[in-house]
Amino acid sequence: MITVLIGAPGVGKGTLATILAKKTSFPHIATGDLLREAVANKTELGVKASEYMDQGKLVPNEIVTQILLERTANDDCKNGFLLDGYPRNVAQAETISNSFKVDKVLNFVADKENIIQRLSGRVTCRKCAAVYHLQNSPPKQDDICDKCGGELYQREDQMPSTVKTRLEVYEQETAPLIDFYTQQGILINIDANFGMDEIEKITEQCEKALEVL
Ligand code: AMP
């Protein structure tokens, strides 16, 4: 089964996808993670992608699609996967429909104030790339990663001006996917206005959504 998770940046879909991947046998494929890995490894595609990512813009479709299809060709994806961060526009949705059939789409919906609050306080570990939120899931010690002791910093794409661009890009490019998948009858809305203490409830909601249709 192939499940796509869509929603604005900061809506919590990455967090939910990680939990759902542990509960199901499906790997969590996040194009943002694949791109960051390519950037860190300084591959040809990674170098090209980084200038777009740093500005909060979408990486050109052919770059991200190539990286995605290389990953989904791996054996662990043969029974399905949870796709997070792709498609980001209707052109990408049409492109992947030539390679595989999307079975379900979970659309995470949250209020704008919640999204901005979540996006504004994020920091990342320089060493292991773990992400923290200074209010919602703070590290035990300021500026230091709980997992590996690495230094925490605000990534270029976590800065306020880039966050604004990412939200605009979502409205213009990604939101039209809601109609695209609603018309196919495979979209399920998930209320994503949750706090970290409600994560179990939302996880159950997602699991139920994966069973229906
Ligand atoms: P994310 O971690 O999903 O927020 O992605 C981080 C950044 O990677 C985005 O702001 C984009 O620059 C880029 N990116 C991730 N997925 C895609 C995609 N499907 N299409 C284009 N750019 C993407």
Side-chain angles (χ1 to χ4, degrees):
M1 180 167 74
I2 295 174
T3 306
V4 163
L5 297 94
I6 59 172
V11 83
K13 60 186 187 311
T15 307
L16 261 309
T18 307
I19 298 173
L20 289 172
K22 277 189 194 138
K23 292 197 155 214
T24 64
S25 54
F26 300 116
H28 171 201
I29 311 293
T31 45
D33 290 345
L34 296 177
L35 286 165
R36 279 186 285 276
E37 200 182 308
V39 172
N41 293 334
K42 298 193 171 67
T43 66
E44 197 186 328
L45 293 181
V47 171
K48 281 189 197 151
S50 67
E51 58 185 284
Y52 297 91
M53 295 170 76
D54 285 351
Q55 295 174 49
K57 294 184 181 161
L58 290 188
V59 172
N61 288 351
E62 55 285 2
I63 295 180
V64 63
T65 303
Q66 185 178 335
I67 288 182
L68 172 71
L69 293 181
E70 277 169 18
R71 174 66 186 87
T72 54
N74 285 0
D75 226 28
D76 64 336
C77 291
K78 68 176 190 296
N79 294 326
F81 44 89
L82 299 163
L83 190 49
D84 165 15
Y86 191 109
R88 279 291 228 276
N89 55 33
V90 173
Q92 291 181 2
E94 283 166 349
T95 302
I96 47 163
S97 68
N98 297 321
S99 301
F100 45 77
K101 180 181 160 290
V102 172
D103 296 293
K104 285 174 190 179
V105 177
L106 302 185
N107 176 35
F108 291 79
V109 188
D111 299 337
K112 207 162 184 176
E113 308 84 79
N114 260 340
I115 289 177
I116 291 173
Q117 194 272 349
R118 287 178 194 169
L119 283 174
S120 319
R122 284 187 179 177
V123 287
T124 300
C125 173
R126 270 192 207 284
K127 221 161 129 192
C128 75
V131 177
Y132 296 83
H133 189 283
L134 296 176
Q135 284 84 44
N136 302 352
S137 53
K140 291 196 186 85
Q141 261 181 288
D142 276 357
D143 304 333
I144 296 183
C145 177
D146 293 351
K147 293 181 185 142
C148 76
E151 184 202 357
L152 301 179
Y153 75 113
Q154 199 163 42
R155 278 192 332 231
E156 201 77 44
D157 68 336
Q158 291 166 333
M159 307 254 179
S161 60
T162 319
V163 162
K164 188 169 166 276
T165 308
R166 288 169 67 200
L167 289 171
E168 286 165 2
V169 167
Y170 169 77
E171 286 299 336
Q172 284 164 16
E173 302 235 16
T174 312
L177 282 174
I178 297 171
D179 278 348
F180 181 87
Y181 284 123
T182 301
Q183 277 163 19
Q184 295 183 16
I186 56 172
L187 184 128
I188 303 161
N189 288 315
I190 303 286
D191 180 359
N193 288 301
F194 58 85
M196 287 313 274
D197 52 336
E198 291 169 297
I199 204 107
E200 257 179 55
K201 201 174 80 190
I202 309 298
T203 306
E204 272 171 32
Q205 211 183 313
C206 292
E207 285 180 301
K208 281 208 186 94
L210 292 181
E211 281 161 21
V212 299
L213 284 186

